[in-house]
Amino acid sequence: MKTLPCAKALLRSTCMAVLLLALIVTGCKKPEMIKSSENNTLSGTTGLVTINSVQPVKSEALLAMQCYNNAFYHQYGTYGPSFKAYYYSDVNHTGRMDFWRQAEAIETLIDAYNINNDADLKNKMVYLYNGMRDAYGLLWTSNIYNDDVIWGALMCIRAFQITNDGGMKDMAKNNFDMVWNRAWDTNLGGGLWWTTANNTKNACVNAPAAICAMYLYQATGDAAYKTKAKQIVDWMVTKLYVPGTGEVKGAMNAAGVITEGARTYTQGTFIGACSMLHNSYPSDNYKAMGAKAMDYTKISMCNAQGLLPDEYDTDDCQGFKAIFARWACRFVKDHNYQSTYAAWLNYNAAEAWNYRNSNGLMWGQWWHRTPDNYVNSFETTCGIAMMNGVWLF
């Protein structure tokens, strides 16, 4: 079912009206409306930096997601008794987002739903999942990128947590199992290959696979998934994690040579995997390693004010901070690290929102204004994930 032009116009005018109200309210917030933190300073490589940014309120986090949907969401037909949808790749609506970025945009929607419990967001999540099934089928064996498949499986199992839809759980399980069977081996001591060419073993498939495996363990009760998650993270600790600094290297080739450095999304997913393993293996130092990876991101990857890096070297990197925000914020919540990291994460959320454009969209460069004329739908997930993530704690 296509959205009628008049309905789109109504959505746009409603979003703009609410955005204007948010702009007015932001300028005259009462102190109790502002998300507070125990620590209002950041420790960086240049010393102590005071943060004066006004933190976005919870209603603005929801508004950010609604503005994103207004710009990119496309509902296009029926799927049984339900509907199908996808996100466009950019504001010009030049086709749908590609597979893995679509999955990450849906994860951003899941983040927003978990904070706001908004029925419209839940419906859109289901329709977008239906769109993924419609476009790519149930089993993604034709995709040579193991990380793509894992991102999709992770989206499915997180959606299952909301809907209890067995089809979502099965899609996550079957695709994770397929990747495990074709990508895990004893070369380099273990680890999952990035692609079916078996040339490199990358953090971008291994860390999210460990998270996905832990969610599958929770959903199925099958302890084999928990064991696999531990195997993956233990391999990463021996091959990609730098214990002295907390850096998580990006990849190792078949000869055992490190070929990529740290990225925010690999730091974030390693943090998320360590966080989830901690409760099952409290004596294995996972929480401490997660905190060390947080520290490396904060101290060595941010600027002097604590602002996360742009990562605009390719368009495939522009949404990485959304993935970092997702798992870093949950780590803070689950392990009560508010006094250590809340001010830093709140600051990044505030800066993203401060530089939104006239349509309420935020690109990944959180130090100057988002353009009105062109943005893509991957880069604009970053601010939404951070704004909603900080409301976890």
Side-chain angles (χ1 to χ4, degrees):
M1 182 183 73
K2 292 185 177 179
T3 305
L4 296 175
C6 58
K8 280 196 170 183
L10 178 60
L11 282 170
R12 186 174 296 107
S13 62
T14 302
C15 187
M16 290 301 295
V18 177
L19 181 60
L20 179 59
L21 178 61
L23 289 167
I24 295 169
V25 171
T26 302
C28 57
K29 288 178 184 153
K30 295 179 181 179
E32 66 268 21
M33 293 176 64
I34 302 171
K35 183 167 172 49
S36 61
S37 168
E38 297 175 33
N39 178 6
N40 198 39
T41 60
L42 286 179
S43 179
T45 55
T46 59
L48 206 61
V49 180
T50 301
I51 300 172
N52 296 314
S53 296
V54 176
Q55 311 304 334
V57 297
K58 194 173 180 181
S59 60
E60 291 171 331
L62 174 59
L63 173 61
M65 188 72 246
Q66 291 169 334
C67 289
Y68 183 91
N69 286 335
N70 183 62
F72 303 113
Y73 179 81
H74 177 62
Q75 198 165 296
Y76 68 96
T78 57
Y79 192 91
S82 187
F83 300 104
K84 298 180 290 189
Y86 61 77
Y87 282 122
Y88 285 113
S89 62
D90 58 30
V91 291
N92 294 332
H93 296 179
T94 51
R96 68 193 301 157
M97 295 177 85
D98 68 17
F99 182 95
W100 94 274
R101 285 182 266 200
Q102 188 87 219
E104 290 315 290
I106 300 171
E107 281 210 76
T108 302
L109 183 67
I110 291 170
D111 298 336
Y113 173 78
N114 285 336
I115 295 302
N116 299 286
N117 196 31
D118 180 82
D120 179 64
L121 298 187
K122 182 179 179 180
N123 288 337
K124 283 182 167 59
M125 179 199 71
V126 172
Y127 304 159
L128 289 160
Y129 161 80
N130 291 342
M132 289 284 282
R133 287 184 59 154
D134 178 57
Y136 304 108
L138 301 179
L139 192 64
W140 309 317
T141 51
S142 62
N143 191 326
I144 68 167
Y145 293 95
N146 291 314
D147 65 319
D148 281 16
V149 177
I150 291 298
W151 295 119
L154 183 52
M155 176 273 291
C156 290
I157 198 62
R158 292 190 68 211
F160 165 76
Q161 291 178 317
I162 296 169
T163 65
N164 202 35
D165 181 334
M168 293 175 174
K169 181 175 70 174
D170 289 346
M171 187 179 286
K173 180 183 184 301
N174 293 338
N175 282 287
F176 175 90
D177 291 347
M178 182 267 290
V179 167
W180 180 268
N181 291 334
R182 79 182 187 184
W184 178 272
D185 63 26
T186 58
N187 286 299
L188 304 174
L192 296 165
W193 294 105
W194 176 43
T195 76
T196 55
N198 293 0
N199 291 326
T200 60
K201 292 189 173 182
N202 296 36
C204 68
V205 57
N206 282 277
I211 296 172
C212 188
M214 288 302 292
Y215 279 134
L216 285 168
Y217 163 62
Q218 294 171 9
T220 66
D222 185 348
Y225 286 111
K226 181 173 66 171
T227 300
K228 288 172 181 176
K230 189 178 192 307
Q231 286 178 266
I232 293 168
V233 174
D234 287 349
W235 177 82
M236 291 187 70
V237 169
T238 62
K239 299 296 185 181
L240 300 178
Y241 175 73
V242 182
T245 64
E247 180 185 8
V248 181
K249 300 290 188 181
M252 172 179 283
N253 67 19
V257 177
I258 294 293
T259 57
E260 293 180 17
R263 291 285 195 172
T264 58
Y265 79 145
T266 50
Q267 293 291 126
T269 48
F270 179 79
I271 291 162
C274 287
S275 180
M276 295 187 74
L277 282 168
H278 169 74
N279 288 339
S280 294
Y281 306 98
S283 63
D284 282 7
N285 209 38
Y286 292 121
K287 183 169 76 170
M289 288 188 287
K292 194 75 173 178
M294 287 281 286
D295 291 339
Y296 181 84
T297 311
K298 176 180 173 183
I299 295 169
S300 299
M301 298 180 71
C302 294
N303 68 10
Q305 287 71 42
L307 197 66
L308 287 160
D310 293 352
E311 296 179 292
Y312 263 60
D313 40 324
T314 73
D315 62 359
D316 213 35
C317 305
Q318 293 171 5
F320 284 0
K321 288 198 293 292
I323 300 167
F324 173 79
R326 181 168 304 127
W327 304 111
C329 291
R330 184 160 292 280
F331 179 74
V332 171
K333 173 189 181 292
D334 289 346
H335 303 289
N336 299 312
Y337 274 115
Q338 287 88 339
S339 62
T340 307
Y341 302 115
W344 167 47
L345 297 171
N346 284 338
Y347 167 70
N348 276 273
E351 289 301 283
W353 187 236
N354 285 343
Y355 290 110
R356 63 194 180 274
N357 69 13
S358 60
N359 294 311
L361 301 175
M362 299 164 281
W363 62 348
Q365 301 180 43
W366 297 344
W367 50 275
H368 61 141
R369 191 177 187 277
T370 305
D372 285 320
N373 60 333
Y374 181 85
V375 286
N376 68 63
S377 53
F378 191 45
E379 65 183 323
T380 44
T381 59
C382 295
I384 303 165
M386 185 62 79
M387 287 179 70
N388 283 280
V390 298
W391 284 98
L392 286 170
F393 51 79

Short mmCIF file of all heavy atoms in Angstrom, two decimals, residues 337-378:
data_model
loop_
_atom_site.label_atom_id
_atom_site.label_comp_id
_atom_site.label_asym_id
_atom_site.label_seq_id
_atom_site.Cartn_x
_atom_site.Cartn_y
_atom_site.Cartn_z
N TYR A 337 27.46 2.24 34.85
CA TYR A 337 28.62 3.08 34.58
C TYR A 337 28.21 4.53 34.29
O TYR A 337 28.94 5.26 33.63
CB TYR A 337 29.39 2.53 33.38
CG TYR A 337 30.41 1.47 33.72
CD1 TYR A 337 30.27 0.17 33.26
CD2 TYR A 337 31.53 1.78 34.49
CE1 TYR A 337 31.21 -0.81 33.55
CE2 TYR A 337 32.48 0.81 34.78
CZ TYR A 337 32.32 -0.48 34.32
OH TYR A 337 33.26 -1.45 34.61
N GLN A 338 27.07 4.96 34.81
CA GLN A 338 26.59 6.30 34.51
C GLN A 338 27.60 7.37 34.92
O GLN A 338 27.85 8.33 34.17
CB GLN A 338 25.25 6.56 35.22
CG GLN A 338 24.08 5.82 34.62
CD GLN A 338 23.88 4.42 35.20
OE1 GLN A 338 24.81 3.83 35.76
NE2 GLN A 338 22.68 3.89 35.06
N SER A 339 28.19 7.24 36.09
CA SER A 339 29.09 8.28 36.57
C SER A 339 30.36 8.38 35.73
O SER A 339 31.02 9.41 35.70
CB SER A 339 29.47 8.03 38.04
OG SER A 339 30.15 6.80 38.18
N THR A 340 30.69 7.32 35.01
CA THR A 340 31.90 7.30 34.18
C THR A 340 31.64 7.77 32.76
O THR A 340 32.47 8.49 32.18
CB THR A 340 32.48 5.87 34.15
OG1 THR A 340 32.66 5.40 35.48
CG2 THR A 340 33.83 5.85 33.41
N TYR A 341 30.51 7.39 32.19
CA TYR A 341 30.30 7.61 30.76
C TYR A 341 29.06 8.41 30.38
O TYR A 341 28.93 8.82 29.22
CB TYR A 341 30.22 6.25 30.04
CG TYR A 341 31.43 5.38 30.23
CD1 TYR A 341 31.34 4.17 30.92
CD2 TYR A 341 32.67 5.77 29.73
CE1 TYR A 341 32.45 3.36 31.09
CE2 TYR A 341 33.79 4.96 29.89
CZ TYR A 341 33.68 3.76 30.59
OH TYR A 341 34.79 2.97 30.77
N ALA A 342 28.13 8.65 31.30
CA ALA A 342 26.86 9.27 30.92
C ALA A 342 27.05 10.67 30.33
O ALA A 342 26.45 11.01 29.31
CB ALA A 342 25.91 9.33 32.12
N ALA A 343 27.88 11.49 30.96
CA ALA A 343 28.07 12.86 30.48
C ALA A 343 28.62 12.88 29.06
O ALA A 343 28.20 13.68 28.22
CB ALA A 343 28.99 13.63 31.41
N TRP A 344 29.55 11.99 28.79
CA TRP A 344 30.15 11.89 27.46
C TRP A 344 29.11 11.50 26.41
O TRP A 344 29.01 12.14 25.34
CB TRP A 344 31.28 10.87 27.51
CG TRP A 344 31.82 10.41 26.20
CD1 TRP A 344 32.18 11.18 25.14
CD2 TRP A 344 32.07 9.05 25.83
NE1 TRP A 344 32.66 10.38 24.12
CE2 TRP A 344 32.60 9.08 24.52
CE3 TRP A 344 31.92 7.83 26.48
CZ2 TRP A 344 32.96 7.91 23.84
CZ3 TRP A 344 32.30 6.66 25.81
CH2 TRP A 344 32.80 6.71 24.50
N LEU A 345 28.32 10.49 26.69
CA LEU A 345 27.31 10.05 25.74
C LEU A 345 26.19 11.07 25.59
O LEU A 345 25.71 11.33 24.48
CB LEU A 345 26.77 8.69 26.16
CG LEU A 345 27.80 7.56 26.19
CD1 LEU A 345 27.22 6.31 26.85
CD2 LEU A 345 28.33 7.23 24.80
N ASN A 346 25.77 11.67 26.70
CA ASN A 346 24.77 12.73 26.63
C ASN A 346 25.24 13.90 25.77
O ASN A 346 24.46 14.50 25.02
CB ASN A 346 24.45 13.24 28.03
CG ASN A 346 23.56 12.29 28.82
OD1 ASN A 346 22.86 11.46 28.25
ND2 ASN A 346 23.61 12.41 30.14
N TYR A 347 26.51 14.24 25.91
CA TYR A 347 27.09 15.34 25.13
C TYR A 347 27.00 15.05 23.63
O TYR A 347 26.63 15.91 22.83
CB TYR A 347 28.55 15.54 25.54
CG TYR A 347 29.35 16.42 24.62
CD1 TYR A 347 29.11 17.79 24.54
CD2 TYR A 347 30.36 15.88 23.82
CE1 TYR A 347 29.86 18.59 23.68
CE2 TYR A 347 31.11 16.67 22.97
CZ TYR A 347 30.86 18.03 22.91
OH TYR A 347 31.60 18.81 22.06
N ASN A 348 27.31 13.82 23.24
CA ASN A 348 27.22 13.46 21.83
C ASN A 348 25.78 13.51 21.34
O ASN A 348 25.52 13.97 20.22
CB ASN A 348 27.83 12.07 21.61
CG ASN A 348 29.34 12.13 21.44
OD1 ASN A 348 29.84 12.32 20.34
ND2 ASN A 348 30.06 11.99 22.55
N ALA A 349 24.84 13.08 22.16
CA ALA A 349 23.42 13.16 21.78
C ALA A 349 23.00 14.61 21.60
O ALA A 349 22.30 14.95 20.63
CB ALA A 349 22.56 12.49 22.85
N ALA A 350 23.45 15.47 22.50
CA ALA A 350 23.08 16.89 22.43
C ALA A 350 23.66 17.55 21.19
O ALA A 350 22.98 18.33 20.51
CB ALA A 350 23.56 17.61 23.69
N GLU A 351 24.91 17.25 20.88
CA GLU A 351 25.55 17.86 19.71
C GLU A 351 24.89 17.40 18.42
O GLU A 351 24.71 18.21 17.50
CB GLU A 351 27.05 17.52 19.70
CG GLU A 351 27.85 18.24 20.77
CD GLU A 351 27.75 19.75 20.65
OE1 GLU A 351 28.42 20.32 19.78
OE2 GLU A 351 27.00 20.36 21.44
N ALA A 352 24.54 16.13 18.34
CA ALA A 352 23.85 15.64 17.14
C ALA A 352 22.55 16.41 16.93
O ALA A 352 22.26 16.88 15.82
CB ALA A 352 23.57 14.14 17.28
N TRP A 353 21.77 16.56 17.98
CA TRP A 353 20.46 17.23 17.88
C TRP A 353 20.63 18.72 17.65
O TRP A 353 19.83 19.34 16.93
CB TRP A 353 19.67 16.95 19.14
CG TRP A 353 18.24 17.41 19.15
CD1 TRP A 353 17.66 18.25 20.05
CD2 TRP A 353 17.20 17.04 18.22
NE1 TRP A 353 16.32 18.43 19.76
CE2 TRP A 353 16.00 17.70 18.64
CE3 TRP A 353 17.15 16.23 17.10
CZ2 TRP A 353 14.79 17.56 17.97
CZ3 TRP A 353 15.94 16.10 16.42
CH2 TRP A 353 14.78 16.76 16.86
N ASN A 354 21.65 19.32 18.23
CA ASN A 354 21.88 20.76 18.05
C ASN A 354 22.10 21.12 16.58
O ASN A 354 21.76 22.22 16.15
CB ASN A 354 23.10 21.21 18.86
CG ASN A 354 22.81 21.31 20.33
OD1 ASN A 354 21.66 21.34 20.75
ND2 ASN A 354 23.87 21.33 21.15
N TYR A 355 22.66 20.20 15.81
CA TYR A 355 23.01 20.49 14.42
C TYR A 355 22.08 19.80 13.42
O TYR A 355 22.45 19.56 12.27
CB TYR A 355 24.47 20.12 14.16
CG TYR A 355 25.43 21.04 14.87
CD1 TYR A 355 26.20 20.60 15.94
CD2 TYR A 355 25.55 22.38 14.48
CE1 TYR A 355 27.08 21.45 16.60
CE2 TYR A 355 26.42 23.24 15.13
CZ TYR A 355 27.17 22.77 16.20
OH TYR A 355 28.04 23.63 16.84
N ARG A 356 20.85 19.50 13.83
CA ARG A 356 19.86 18.92 12.92
C ARG A 356 19.47 19.95 11.85
O ARG A 356 19.64 21.16 12.05
CB ARG A 356 18.61 18.50 13.70
CG ARG A 356 17.87 19.65 14.39
CD ARG A 356 16.88 19.08 15.41
NE ARG A 356 16.13 20.12 16.10
CZ ARG A 356 16.54 20.76 17.19
NH1 ARG A 356 17.75 20.52 17.69
NH2 ARG A 356 15.77 21.65 17.78
N ASN A 357 18.90 19.46 10.76
CA ASN A 357 18.47 20.37 9.71
C ASN A 357 17.00 20.76 9.91
O ASN A 357 16.38 20.42 10.92
CB ASN A 357 18.74 19.80 8.31
CG ASN A 357 17.85 18.60 7.97
OD1 ASN A 357 16.86 18.30 8.64
ND2 ASN A 357 18.20 17.90 6.91
N SER A 358 16.44 21.47 8.95
CA SER A 358 15.08 21.99 9.11
C SER A 358 14.02 20.89 9.10
O SER A 358 12.88 21.12 9.48
CB SER A 358 14.77 23.00 7.99
OG SER A 358 14.87 22.38 6.73
N ASN A 359 14.39 19.67 8.68
CA ASN A 359 13.48 18.53 8.70
C ASN A 359 13.70 17.63 9.90
O ASN A 359 13.12 16.54 9.98
CB ASN A 359 13.62 17.72 7.41
CG ASN A 359 13.17 18.50 6.19
OD1 ASN A 359 12.10 19.09 6.20
ND2 ASN A 359 14.00 18.54 5.16
N GLY A 360 14.57 18.05 10.81
CA GLY A 360 14.83 17.26 12.01
C GLY A 360 15.77 16.10 11.79
O GLY A 360 15.85 15.19 12.63
N LEU A 361 16.52 16.09 10.67
CA LEU A 361 17.46 15.02 10.36
C LEU A 361 18.86 15.40 10.84
O LEU A 361 19.25 16.57 10.77
CB LEU A 361 17.48 14.72 8.87
CG LEU A 361 16.14 14.30 8.25
CD1 LEU A 361 16.28 14.16 6.74
CD2 LEU A 361 15.64 12.99 8.88
N MET A 362 19.62 14.42 11.30
CA MET A 362 20.98 14.64 11.80
C MET A 362 21.94 13.75 11.02
O MET A 362 21.79 12.52 11.02
CB MET A 362 21.07 14.26 13.28
CG MET A 362 20.17 15.05 14.20
SD MET A 362 20.00 14.24 15.82
CE MET A 362 18.79 12.95 15.43
N TRP A 363 22.92 14.36 10.37
CA TRP A 363 23.93 13.53 9.72
C TRP A 363 24.96 13.09 10.75
O TRP A 363 24.78 13.31 11.95
CB TRP A 363 24.54 14.22 8.52
CG TRP A 363 25.29 15.52 8.77
CD1 TRP A 363 25.30 16.28 9.91
CD2 TRP A 363 26.13 16.18 7.84
NE1 TRP A 363 26.09 17.39 9.74
CE2 TRP A 363 26.62 17.36 8.47
CE3 TRP A 363 26.52 15.93 6.52
CZ2 TRP A 363 27.48 18.25 7.84
CZ3 TRP A 363 27.38 16.82 5.89
CH2 TRP A 363 27.85 17.96 6.54
N GLY A 364 26.06 12.48 10.29
CA GLY A 364 27.04 11.94 11.22
C GLY A 364 28.14 12.90 11.60
O GLY A 364 29.04 12.53 12.36
N GLN A 365 28.09 14.13 11.13
CA GLN A 365 29.11 15.12 11.46
C GLN A 365 28.54 16.08 12.51
O GLN A 365 27.92 17.09 12.17
CB GLN A 365 29.55 15.88 10.19
CG GLN A 365 30.11 14.96 9.12
CD GLN A 365 30.56 15.70 7.87
OE1 GLN A 365 31.18 16.76 7.95
NE2 GLN A 365 30.24 15.15 6.72
N TRP A 366 28.74 15.74 13.77
CA TRP A 366 28.03 16.39 14.84
C TRP A 366 28.69 17.68 15.33
O TRP A 366 28.60 18.02 16.51
CB TRP A 366 27.86 15.42 16.01
CG TRP A 366 27.04 14.22 15.67
CD1 TRP A 366 26.20 14.05 14.61
CD2 TRP A 366 26.96 13.01 16.42
NE1 TRP A 366 25.62 12.81 14.63
CE2 TRP A 366 26.05 12.14 15.73
CE3 TRP A 366 27.56 12.56 17.61
CZ2 TRP A 366 25.75 10.87 16.21
CZ3 TRP A 366 27.25 11.29 18.07
CH2 TRP A 366 26.35 10.45 17.39
N TRP A 367 29.33 18.39 14.43
CA TRP A 367 29.98 19.65 14.79
C TRP A 367 29.57 20.79 13.87
O TRP A 367 29.96 21.93 14.08
CB TRP A 367 31.50 19.49 14.77
CG TRP A 367 32.02 18.86 13.50
CD1 TRP A 367 32.13 17.53 13.23
CD2 TRP A 367 32.47 19.53 12.32
NE1 TRP A 367 32.62 17.31 11.96
CE2 TRP A 367 32.85 18.53 11.39
CE3 TRP A 367 32.61 20.86 11.97
CZ2 TRP A 367 33.34 18.83 10.13
CZ3 TRP A 367 33.12 21.17 10.71
CH2 TRP A 367 33.48 20.15 9.81
N HIS A 368 28.76 20.52 12.87
CA HIS A 368 28.18 21.59 12.04
C HIS A 368 26.85 21.12 11.46
O HIS A 368 26.52 19.94 11.49
CB HIS A 368 29.15 22.06 10.95
CG HIS A 368 29.59 21.02 9.97
ND1 HIS A 368 29.76 21.28 8.64
CD2 HIS A 368 29.91 19.71 10.11
CE1 HIS A 368 30.17 20.21 8.01
NE2 HIS A 368 30.27 19.24 8.87
N ARG A 369 26.10 22.06 10.94
CA ARG A 369 24.70 21.84 10.62
C ARG A 369 24.50 20.81 9.51
O ARG A 369 25.22 20.80 8.52
CB ARG A 369 24.04 23.17 10.22
CG ARG A 369 22.51 23.10 10.12
CD ARG A 369 21.91 24.47 9.80
NE ARG A 369 20.46 24.46 9.88
CZ ARG A 369 19.66 24.06 8.90
NH1 ARG A 369 20.18 23.64 7.76
NH2 ARG A 369 18.34 24.09 9.05
N THR A 370 23.52 19.97 9.70
CA THR A 370 23.13 18.99 8.69
C THR A 370 22.56 19.71 7.48
O THR A 370 21.70 20.58 7.62
CB THR A 370 22.07 18.04 9.27
OG1 THR A 370 22.58 17.46 10.48
CG2 THR A 370 21.72 16.95 8.28
N PRO A 371 23.00 19.36 6.27
CA PRO A 371 22.47 20.03 5.07
C PRO A 371 20.97 19.78 4.89
O PRO A 371 20.46 18.72 5.24
CB PRO A 371 23.26 19.38 3.92
CG PRO A 371 24.46 18.76 4.55
CD PRO A 371 24.04 18.37 5.93
N ASP A 372 20.30 20.76 4.34
CA ASP A 372 18.88 20.59 4.02
C ASP A 372 18.67 19.91 2.68
O ASP A 372 17.64 19.26 2.46
CB ASP A 372 18.18 21.97 3.98
CG ASP A 372 17.94 22.53 5.37
OD1 ASP A 372 17.58 21.77 6.28
OD2 ASP A 372 18.13 23.74 5.55
N ASN A 373 19.65 20.04 1.78
CA ASN A 373 19.41 19.61 0.40
C ASN A 373 19.63 18.11 0.18
O ASN A 373 18.93 17.48 -0.61
CB ASN A 373 20.28 20.41 -0.57
CG ASN A 373 21.77 20.24 -0.27
OD1 ASN A 373 22.16 19.98 0.87
ND2 ASN A 373 22.61 20.39 -1.29
N TYR A 374 20.61 17.50 0.90
CA TYR A 374 20.85 16.08 0.66
C TYR A 374 21.49 15.43 1.89
O TYR A 374 22.48 15.91 2.42
CB TYR A 374 21.78 15.84 -0.54
CG TYR A 374 22.00 14.37 -0.78
CD1 TYR A 374 21.10 13.63 -1.54
CD2 TYR A 374 23.09 13.71 -0.21
CE1 TYR A 374 21.28 12.27 -1.73
CE2 TYR A 374 23.26 12.34 -0.39
CZ TYR A 374 22.36 11.63 -1.16
OH TYR A 374 22.53 10.28 -1.33
N VAL A 375 20.91 14.31 2.31
CA VAL A 375 21.51 13.39 3.27
C VAL A 375 21.06 11.98 2.90
O VAL A 375 20.04 11.81 2.22
CB VAL A 375 21.11 13.68 4.74
CG1 VAL A 375 21.82 14.90 5.28
CG2 VAL A 375 19.60 13.81 4.89
N ASN A 376 21.82 10.98 3.30
CA ASN A 376 21.38 9.61 3.06
C ASN A 376 20.82 9.01 4.33
O ASN A 376 21.00 9.54 5.44
CB ASN A 376 22.51 8.77 2.45
CG ASN A 376 23.65 8.50 3.43
OD1 ASN A 376 23.46 7.87 4.46
ND2 ASN A 376 24.85 8.98 3.08
N SER A 377 20.15 7.90 4.19
CA SER A 377 19.41 7.33 5.32
C SER A 377 20.28 6.51 6.26
O SER A 377 19.80 6.13 7.34
CB SER A 377 18.25 6.46 4.80
OG SER A 377 18.72 5.50 3.87
N PHE A 378 21.52 6.25 5.88
CA PHE A 378 22.42 5.54 6.79
C PHE A 378 23.12 6.52 7.74
O PHE A 378 23.13 6.31 8.95
CB PHE A 378 23.45 4.74 6.00
CG PHE A 378 24.27 3.78 6.83
CD1 PHE A 378 23.66 2.97 7.77
CD2 PHE A 378 25.63 3.67 6.64
CE1 PHE A 378 24.41 2.07 8.53
CE2 PHE A 378 26.39 2.78 7.38
CZ PHE A 378 25.78 1.96 8.33
#
